[in-house]
């Protein structure tokens, strides 16, 4: 039976591809295609039905085609309804096409309601499931990368972890993540907990006009996720399967054993130390161990989703179950997730509608205990296991052999896993009083349980033994409750005045608690339940909560679809704000002018819609305000007191009370223009924004006499940051038929600047190897790199002597610039070295479809940012017994041998590895983010075997990356520092989607 | 608006009650009512439509009624479809009534399918929501009490705790709870987690024929719970609210301060001790403190459920949210539960149906730290708090003042609560290959998280201080997965051969783990997060799992609905069974003969259905088999060894391996007869059963030389228990109209006997005050009381001297019988004292309805069991400084003063309190379990205000109990011992049910 089915599928496939394309054409038909207003429709496709014979209308809407006299011509054009007309022997066929109002009425999901795209006055972008359905991604965040102008997405690489999303630049030196709202419920449930196949659309609210409805949480934008719903009609069973293979996009090449031994000998000699007598002939050591190859593997991921959906005129359902299993590219890492989604709505009574959305996910993240940096630094001269089959480790002179514990041994033996169980559910009742007036009440429930569990056996490997085995367990739970109540009003007066309004109240509250315990010393490594542990090590636990009460209202008014006004206000009272600032009000207003609706606007097809948008608003961010920041905190402890050191219980103050602390504030102005041209075949949007953050939390100066040290920082709402930029998106239908070719372009420019820290003293941040790498300073972008400037290599002692005094310098060492010309190279010679924030984000997607085939080529990139390659400090430093990348093969070995890679010298007397532009690289890249090729088998043939549609998808994510960056991948942390990160993967996938 | 609505509701109410009942009647109509076969229909009601004028048909089916000539007569009778006929001036009106096939086709839920009641060959009882919708109960288990013959239900009293259910007697000396299956998923989720309002029906599978489909878990019966589903048609919004008030059914009266002091003086004097000089004049102490009154309060419970449901021809939905909040009758006890239920089904494709059932509940049980026995024993001479406002406590001579810590203080200060979160969900896909053949696959998920949390502050009350405050937390989680796959076949051949069959496989597996920790010493009682604790006290944690793989099949065959056969077999492989007995097979067969379908059976109405049922089968019970019982277990520990006591890690064996351990087995024979009489107005069922348990786990004798002590018992499958009994149920419609009066009767007789323990030595069980109260012995019922037999009171020293030697006896002490006539009263004089298992369970329900009014009076009782009133050991013992019940006021104070209540003497030299029939009381009771009065407002009037129905319910649970038992309540633990139990409550409730 199955075999028969397979055979028919295959034959359908073959038939379609080989089907003849030529038909008899002996009759000439021509005519003009116009819209309802009489304007010519440019670029409409004209097609002889059932054949590939077709043409497109010209700039005056005319067409001409050879066809058979009894053919049926099919006219189609974006934003118009398609028309089929029988030629019936006629030679002139003028057509009037109706606008497809459904298309014009495309609806965007904004907070507490929806808005038709044409009524929009703010900056909102939407990504529908069509745009990511073929992306081989684990979570929807990865699929958003590049899709929305103004949205910066950074993947964390590691399976099961969330992406980092920033909207319109870094809005704060503190937490500036956007608010995530899933089916109307603001939640801290990560996007990675959702099954991508269950997501219908993602709407990004960017400017204050759009985000003000989320008040004190809207400052950094809002990501609105909407899950799928059932639709009326025949039920549908959908099966989606994907198998993907993953490899790291790039792995830096490291020295082999011979090369390392030679280097070590050189380091020893240069620093006046003894070389290793065993390494007298380095080349005899050969290749040695490739530790990275031991750690990394081909990752395999499979995703399967079965869903069923449908509905009647009164009720709809969508139910889905999903499974994702991922073997990481790091061997100790794996991820497994089960998803269940059930969405229903029902018009229970004529005046009462209910809807429910339930998302349940259970996942297990095995992170293991791996270290990219230790694995890179592990010496190739050791084997993974010794002759006895035990894990090897360095022994003896650490200057030769280093002191890194066997990184593969810990990866294999130490375990660590997080099990998570998430319920996100909401139920909404909607009462209709009149056709125009509705009341809606939503109760949302967001429950999260997660459990961390790790075990480390005792072992006696070199160089440092772990003497006690230990088991650690923690139990965490968080509950967030939401209760929204609001009225919705929507009415058109005198046919031209359209008024819609929303007003209501929202309450949200959360409680969270955890406890954990560790026991040490287990008799057997394989039996390590806590009850078997012999020594208590630690017990900890605590609880916290927060709540938010909000009043909000929004009015949208439009006159004749021509003049549009939106005003929004939200008043938030938060338990996190200090008693002096418990309540904040966040207003916004915006207006739009659809110039093309003016009577005087020429009725030309070249510009069929033109809209100007202006908006301003003030929103807040409370993410950086701790739950109890406004209170003084105290700790209890036990201290030995008195002459005999009797232990006494103590209570001591740990932070000062801070009754004025409140939200950070963003005032944002947005100006945008939307243009639709050539019967909407080309649409353009341009937005410019001025986003000024104020009241940003910065460290407050506390007199040292208060007794409060640096460790208990007190914050004040006193800093300022600005982001200015513009966003450009374009969508064009380049060819309509028989091949359809669409292009999406997106371009974002952003300039980030710290305006004030309320202090002339910059903050030094991001410490690596005891040096601060970045700096927060007024007038500079957030996380600006700060350090020394290199000036080549000292080739001779004369050059050293001629240069300003640089402690420890010898020929072969790096020459640092004496920026202040004081004749000494010291801290005063540091300067800003670059900006980790890209100036430009860009992407281009081309989607070409022909019959059932669809090819999508998606390019994405960033430009203008720098990366501090911190891995290179250890791995090109040539200063200790750590393995190095092959870049050091071109090191300085005598005058003239190199002017960029210094000499190898143990101990780094010149501090060649100090924070300098030596480790700063250009982070710009252009990526072939995704190429997908899919084939949909013809539906009329599939129907014979009871299948509605069947698609096969071949896809590749991160196929190629063009960059000058030398590390693993230029997609590094937001602060631009690349340090021991989980590698970004290149993914090849094969997918199948069957609908019954 | 609301006021207006209320007024209209009230006026509707008034109108209905006062509506006139008399109408003009001047036309005589008579006739005969027959069924389709021509047999007279007896007792059919004949009614003039729209009036209260009516009559019933006589034994020959005839009727006669005076009516108006243009009236409409309405004929109705149970199990027939009602008929309305216009008189149209006729004076003779013969009627033929059709059988109501829907009624005849009443369907029972059995494992993996359903069966029409008429096709049933085994013993299955059903309770539909109609039968408990008005019961003011917190969980459905309480509502089942008495409703099903053969089902013994014992309420635990305490809010949020599960009832104890036993089916057809105690099937084992070990765990013999029935299996609970909720919506097809076997689960250990207690019934108390469900919202009663969400339950559609409960089916009880009793005999082996019915339970064999659950194989190794079916031996003790199965409770099948089915939740509500939506039905096609207009949607429905239902709101149910109930407020209830609760008091303990009975509180034993205790001595007041004056009485206690007098008693204490007497105890002291009698034992030759000094009396308390402060109590020289006991009457001056007055009433003192009524500690029980301080502990108990009026409990208040509210329950609210909002549900909506509906559906189209293709899909149905039922969604409900419930809230229950209960303040216990013990002041530290409270319970709060949230329920969410969402059930949907959808015919997605013509050949594919899906259904989902999701139950989510979150509850919080605050148990506090109370002790009924300490509160009863606390001395009335102390006040609750002392003059300084501190909790009082006994100080000084414990012979006078006792040593019980202030029971109200600990109740108020110590906290303990359990938060539970339960998800029980299943999704079923059903594929129809042909109309007769279906395949069904169910995936079930049962996740439970629960967290216990307690805190005890330090305090220095008398007599014993708690020196360290302590906080304990535990985290527990359990996951059970189920995957059932089976085929269903149902077809009728040649119109008379009806064959239905089921065959498939079921896999279920569970994993459970917990961890907990305690820290002691907190600086402030009000701040006791674990992180604030100063001393680690304990850490523990462990995990376990089990799995079950099963193959099962069932065939039902019927010939002409006359001869019915059912054969069932299940083969279970359980991870719990020893390797030698991993797989067990459990077969059953049963047959039924519908004698009334025979052609020769007279077509009389007096007996319209007669069915004989016979069944036999073997089922198993694996509940008592531990997850790893078949393995030897080892423990790890630390012991000081050697001369210097160096602590060494040790591993020691704690139990022996037991590779033969397997399920307990029950072979059950059932013979039943079902009779329907007088057009099914009277239905009777009688079942007799022989239920023989074998292979019961009993202690195996292990040679002491093995080194394994009693503490690590090894079990062998070697015991036998028998239960024999019969069950009788009757349902009658006594009057049909205008008043309808129905009666349900249920009567159960069971005799329980231990047949073999594989040992002549009985087991002594249930230790109280260092004495065993019950005994398991061959030939006796389980938990038979065992002890001395009293023979009145020694009135004089002569009587003491004349009696067998009884150590410590003096006049006023109890005379114990010298049963073995050896002249000494010792252990040899003990005998069996009674059986805690009732011989008879009975209930009667009368439901009387007239128009919208419905009155239900429900009586329930047990007969023939004994209770060991263990509370009385302390509280009538008069042997220590504990308060006593007022029963001791009739104590012996000199010759002839009492022949039942002994003298008061400190220290009880005669051991008056030894285990004897002194504390054994008759546990029989008859309870007015429930009286409910409900009124449904007339629907035609309600419809005007858009309400479909509105009912008001006044109900009282446990209204009065007729019993000789002197303790709180005769509903005590299954073992018949009443010791410090949470009191059973009497509940008055007011409920409201509105459907829109």
């Amino acid at each position: 039976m199955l075999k028969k089915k397979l055979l028919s599928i295959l034959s359908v496939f073959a038939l379609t591809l080989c089907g003849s394309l030529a038909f008899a054409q002996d009759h000439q038909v021509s005519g003009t295609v116009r819209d309802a207003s009489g304007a010519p429709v440019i670029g409409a496709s004209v097609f002889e039905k059932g054949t590939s014979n077709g043409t497109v209308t010209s700039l005056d809407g005319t067409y001409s085609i050879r066809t058979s006299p009894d053919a049926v011509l099919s006219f189609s054009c974006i934003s118009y309804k398609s028309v089929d007309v029988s030629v019936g022997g006629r030679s002139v066929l003028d057509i009037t096409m109706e606008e497809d109002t459904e298309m014009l009425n495309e609806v965007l999901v904004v907070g507490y309601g929806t808005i038709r795209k044409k009524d929009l006055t703010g900056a909102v972008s939407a990504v529908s499931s069509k745009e990511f359905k073929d992306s081989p991604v684990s979570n929807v965040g990865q699929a958003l990368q590049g899709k929305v102008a103004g949205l910066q997405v950074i993947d964390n690489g590691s399976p099961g972890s969330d992406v980092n999303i920033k909207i319109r630049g870094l809005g704060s030196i503190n937490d500036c993540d956007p608010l995530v709202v899933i089916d109307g419920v603001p939640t801290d449930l990560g996007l990675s907990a959702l099954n991508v196949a269950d997501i219908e659309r993602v709407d990004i609210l960017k400017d204050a006009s759009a985000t003000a409805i989320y008040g004190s949480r809207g400052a950094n934008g809002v990501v609105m996720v909407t899950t799928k719903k059932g639709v009326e009609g025949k039920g549908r069973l959908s099966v989606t399967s994907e198998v993907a293979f993953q490899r790291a996009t790039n792995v830096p090449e490291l020295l082999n054993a011979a090369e390392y031994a030679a280097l070590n000998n050189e380091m020893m000699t240069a620093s006046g130390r003894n070389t290793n007598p065993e390494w007298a002939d380095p080349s005899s050591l050969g290749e040695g161990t490739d530790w990275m190859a031991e750690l990394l593997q081909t990752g395999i991921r499979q995703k399967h989703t079965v869903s069923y959906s449908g509905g009647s005129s009164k009720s709809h359902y969508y139910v889905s179950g999903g499974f994702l299993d991922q073997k990481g590219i790091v061997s100790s890492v794996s991820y497994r997730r089960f998803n269940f989604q059930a969405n229903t709505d029902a018009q229970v009574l004529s005046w009462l509608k209910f809807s429910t959305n339930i998302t349940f996910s259970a996942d297990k993240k095995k992170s293991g205990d791996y270290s990219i940096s230790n694995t890179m630094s592990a010496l190739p001269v050791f084997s993974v296991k010794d002759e006895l089959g035990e894990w090897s480790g360095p022994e003896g002179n650490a200057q030769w052999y280093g002191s890194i514990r066997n990184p593969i041994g810990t990866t294999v033996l130490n375990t660590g896993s997080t099990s998570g169980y998430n319920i996100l559910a909401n139920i909404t009742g909607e009462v209709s009083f009149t056709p125009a007036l509705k009341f809606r009440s939503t109760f949302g429930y967001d429950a999260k349980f997660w459990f961390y569990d790790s075990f480390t056996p005792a072992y006696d490997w070199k160089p440092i033994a772990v003497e006690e085995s230990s088991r650690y367990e923690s139990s965490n739970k968080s509950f967030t409750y939401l209760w929204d109540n609001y009225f919705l009003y929507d009415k058109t007066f005198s046919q031209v005045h359209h008024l819609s309004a929303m007003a209501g109240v929202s309450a949200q509250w959360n409680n969270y608690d955890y406890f954990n315990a560790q026991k040490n010393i287990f008799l057997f490594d394989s039996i390590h339940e806590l009850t078997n542990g012999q020594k208590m090590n630690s017990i900890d636990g605590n609880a916290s909560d927060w709540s938010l009460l909000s009043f909000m209202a929004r009015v949208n008014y439009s006159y004749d679809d021509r003049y549009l006004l939106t005003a929004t206000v939200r008043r938030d009272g938060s338990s996190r704000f200090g008693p002096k600032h418990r309540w904040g009000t966040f207003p916004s207003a915006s207006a739009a002018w659809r110039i093309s609706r003016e009577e005087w606007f020429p009725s030309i097809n070249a510009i069929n819609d033109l809209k100007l948008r202006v908006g301003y608003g003030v929103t807040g961010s409370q993410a950086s305000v701790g739950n109890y920041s406004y209170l003084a905190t105290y700790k209890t402890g036990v201290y030995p007191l008195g002459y005999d050191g009797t232990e006494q219980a103590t209570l001591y103050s740990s932070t000062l009370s801070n009754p004025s602390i409140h939200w950070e504030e963003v005032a944002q102005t947005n100006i945008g223009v939307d243009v639709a041209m050539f019967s909407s075949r080309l649409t353009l949007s341009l937005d410019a924004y001025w986003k000024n953050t104020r009241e940003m939390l910065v460290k407050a100066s506390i007199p040292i006499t208060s007794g409060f040290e640096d460790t208990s920082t007190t914050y004040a709402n006193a800093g300022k940051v600005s982001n200015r930029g513009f966003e450009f998106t374009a969508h064009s239908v380049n060819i309509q038929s028989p091949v359809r070719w669409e292009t999406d372009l997106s371009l974002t420019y952003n300039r980030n600047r710290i305006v004030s820290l309320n202090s002339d003293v910059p903050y030094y941040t991001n410490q690596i190897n005891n040096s601060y790498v970045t700096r927060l300073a007024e007038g500079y972008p957030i996380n600006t790199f700060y350090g020394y400037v290199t000036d080549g290599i000292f080739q001779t002692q004369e050059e050293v002597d001629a240069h300003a005094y640089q402690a420890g310098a010898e020929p072969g060492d790096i020459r640092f610039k004496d920026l202040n010309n004081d004749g000494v190279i010291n801290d005063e010679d540091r300067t800003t070295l670059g900006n980790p924030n890209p100036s430009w984000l860009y992407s281009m997607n081309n989607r070409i479809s022909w019959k059932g085939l669809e090819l999508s080529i998606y390019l994405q990139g960033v430009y203008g940012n720098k990366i501090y390659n911190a891995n290179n400090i250890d791995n090109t430093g040539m200063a200790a017994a750590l393995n190095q990348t092959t870049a050091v093969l071109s090191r300085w070995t005598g005058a003239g041998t190199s002017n960029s890679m210094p000499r190898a010298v143990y101990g780094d007397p010149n501090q060649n590895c100090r924070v300098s532009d030596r480790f700063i690289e250009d982070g710009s890249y252009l990526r072939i983010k995704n190429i997908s090729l899919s084939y949909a088998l013809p539906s009329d043939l599939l129907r014979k075997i009871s299948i509605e549609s069947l698609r096969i998808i071949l896809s590749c994510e991160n196929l190629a990356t063009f960059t000058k960056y030398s590390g693993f991948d230029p997609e590094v942390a937001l602060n631009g520092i690349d340090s021991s990160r989980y590698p970004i993967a290149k993914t090849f996938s094969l997918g199948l989607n069957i609908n019954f």
Side-chain angles (χ1 to χ4, degrees), chain A residues 282-299:
Chain A
S283 64
S284 68
L285 294 173
E287 287 291 322
T289 301
D290 182 349
W291 289 95
M292 283 304 287
E294 298 284 337
L295 183 72
L296 300 181
Q297 63 184 7
T298 299

Side-chain angles (χ1 to χ4, degrees), chain A residues 953-976:
Chain A
I953 307 115
L954 273 166
S955 186
C956 179
E957 192 87 354
N958 299 339
L959 180 61
T961 306
F962 306 99
T963 180
K964 293 182 197 152
Y965 183 63
S966 70
F968 282 91
D969 193 280
E971 192 170 340
V972 302
L974 263 176
N975 62 13

Side-chain angles (χ1 to χ4, degrees), chain A residues 929-947:
Chain A
K929 183 72 188 164
N930 181 276
I931 294 188
S932 291
L933 177 67
S934 72
Y935 178 65
L937 273 70
S939 55
D940 45 352
L941 290 171
L942 286 171
R943 271 192 207 115
K944 290 175 189 162
I945 47 170
S946 295
I947 293 177

